[in-house]
Amino acid sequence: MSTPNRPVLKPLIAAIRTSAWPLLRWSSLALLPGVAVAGPLGEQVVKGNVNVTRPDATTTRIAQGSERAVVNWNSFSVGGNEYVHFVQPG
């Protein structure tokens, strides 16, 4: 009995997402054929305490830990099947 071919895209995406290199982050996935990039991309925290996580391919969680914060984004687009969760103090 043969083993069905399993996609290896998820481990590849996880490896790129957790990469410490800024150029090999979510925005680099757009260069891979057949890979759809979801949600806001290319965050740069300019001021304050902000933690951006992506628990899955269609969810972005933006947690602000300070009263004020400034974040610059390369793009901020949210599709119909995507979810952005903002968590702010107070």
Side-chain angles (χ1 to χ4, degrees):
M1 183 172 178
S2 65
T3 305
N5 292 335
R6 294 185 176 235
V8 292
L9 190 56
K10 285 189 179 183
L12 173 63
I13 290 172
I16 293 172
R17 285 179 63 184
T18 58
S19 172
W21 297 354
L23 295 177
L24 294 177
R25 304 275 321 231
W26 270 106
S27 57
S28 299
L29 288 176
L31 302 176
L32 298 174
V35 175
V37 180
L41 298 173
E43 66 276 356
Q44 293 179 330
V45 178
V46 176
K47 185 169 179 125
N49 180 6
V50 177
N51 186 26
V52 179
T53 56
R54 293 172 180 88
D56 59 55
T58 60
T59 304
T60 302
R61 183 177 187 270
I62 304 164
Q64 181 178 331
S66 56
E67 283 296 317
R68 295 178 185 209
V70 176
V71 180
N72 288 334
W73 300 89
N74 286 343
S75 68
F76 199 101
S77 177
V78 182
N81 65 334
E82 299 167 357
Y83 178 72
V84 178
H85 181 204
F86 289 93
V87 180
Q88 295 180 295

